[in-house]
Amino acid sequence: MEHTHASSEAPPERVSIPVLPVRILQVFVSPAKLFDAIRERPAWLGAVVGLVVLGAAVQLLTPVVVPEDVRRAMFESQIGRFIPPGADPELLEQQVESAMSQGPAAGVATVVIATPIFLSLIAGLILIAFNVIMGGEGRFRQLFSAAAHATYVSTAGGIVGLALMTLGSQTPILTPGLFLPEVEGFIGGFLNGINIFSVWTCGVLGVAVSRIYPERSAAAGTTYLLVLYLLVVAVFAALAGLMG
């Protein structure tokens, strides 16, 4: 008699992951569900390509839809923070003209090169904190995919900023400093450097940390990333205060 051996365990079912447009929507409305899927299937290529395409589109559209005087005033405000008070006024003018003369190709090239580097840096920082220091078991690919998807929040902020500049606003980012225009010096620079959409991105990544590292809370991940982000903002505010 022929005996057959049937496995008592069915093969593990491959976790499905939504198409990219659905995943982008989930970043904003149900990040926990998204990162549960990414934990099992850390798809990243489409998300990165989408970020690059959107970032390049913003760079190409800016000189077309934003009035020249608005772009000039924006560059004067940004560059002027790092120009010493006693410097030759022509120095600021030269740097503004240089920034104005750069075509969108330079911005597009920056987006293409900087996007994967930025995402790798974020994934690496999370890996160092929650794997190396805290003994977790997350994988770089999971974190890279999570960072790529969470960055759509910051990208949305860039699109909102483009819309504001198109309407004549000289402030391309939403910051707490908009509500305290009288505050100057380091505190003013610090408040004006905080991008609300970047803070939101830290919160979304905090959710990702809690799904990839079940023993860690979303608050722990958010706090870690938010502290790193605010430290970077503080450094730039301090440099601007020293040089400006």
Side-chain angles (χ1 to χ4, degrees):
M1 179 183 294
E2 182 180 353
H3 294 278
T4 59
H5 175 72
S7 174
S8 61
E9 294 185 1
E13 183 179 352
R14 185 170 176 82
V15 176
S16 63
I17 189 166
V19 295
L20 181 60
V22 174
R23 301 202 307 266
I24 294 173
L25 178 62
Q26 288 180 325
V27 170
F28 296 90
V29 300
S30 56
K33 183 177 180 180
L34 168 65
F35 295 127
D36 280 339
I38 284 177
R39 181 184 60 224
E40 304 301 325
R41 288 191 61 189
W44 58 269
L45 182 58
V48 174
V49 171
L51 288 175
V52 170
V53 169
L54 288 174
V58 169
Q59 294 295 325
L60 293 170
L61 283 173
T62 297
V64 176
V65 301
V66 178
E68 182 178 345
D69 60 326
V70 173
R71 288 190 291 124
R72 181 177 295 277
M74 182 187 68
F75 283 130
E76 287 177 349
S77 174
Q78 292 176 344
I79 297 173
R81 294 174 59 198
F82 297 93
I83 300 293
D88 188 340
E90 291 187 1
L91 177 61
L92 174 60
E93 184 63 25
Q94 290 172 357
Q95 296 197 17
V96 170
E97 288 297 332
S98 176
M100 291 286 292
S101 64
Q102 289 183 357
V108 170
T110 300
V111 168
V112 171
I113 295 170
T115 298
I117 294 175
F118 171 77
L119 297 176
S120 298
L121 177 62
I122 295 300
L125 288 171
I126 297 175
L127 200 68
I128 289 171
F130 292 95
N131 272 46
V132 178
I133 298 176
M134 299 185 185
E137 297 181 352
R139 303 194 309 274
F140 180 84
R141 185 174 175 179
Q142 292 172 316
L143 299 170
F144 185 87
S145 176
H149 287 83
T151 302
Y152 277 93
V153 175
S154 297
T155 300
I159 295 172
V160 170
L162 177 63
L164 291 174
M165 289 190 294
T166 301
L167 297 174
S169 173
Q170 297 174 8
T171 305
I173 61 174
L174 299 177
T175 74
L178 294 174
F179 304 99
L180 297 168
E182 70 281 357
V183 179
E184 298 180 351
F186 171 78
I187 299 299
F190 178 72
L191 292 175
N192 283 311
I194 299 173
N195 188 329
I196 298 301
F197 283 90
S198 295
V199 174
W200 186 357
T201 301
C202 290
V204 172
L205 277 171
V207 175
V209 167
S210 72
R211 312 315 285 192
I212 295 172
Y213 301 92
E215 70 280 6
R216 305 298 171 190
S217 68
T222 300
T223 301
Y224 171 65
L225 292 161
L226 197 56
V227 167
L228 291 179
Y229 171 65
L230 294 178
L231 282 174
V232 172
V233 174
V235 167
F236 278 99
L239 288 175
L242 291 173
M243 301 176 66

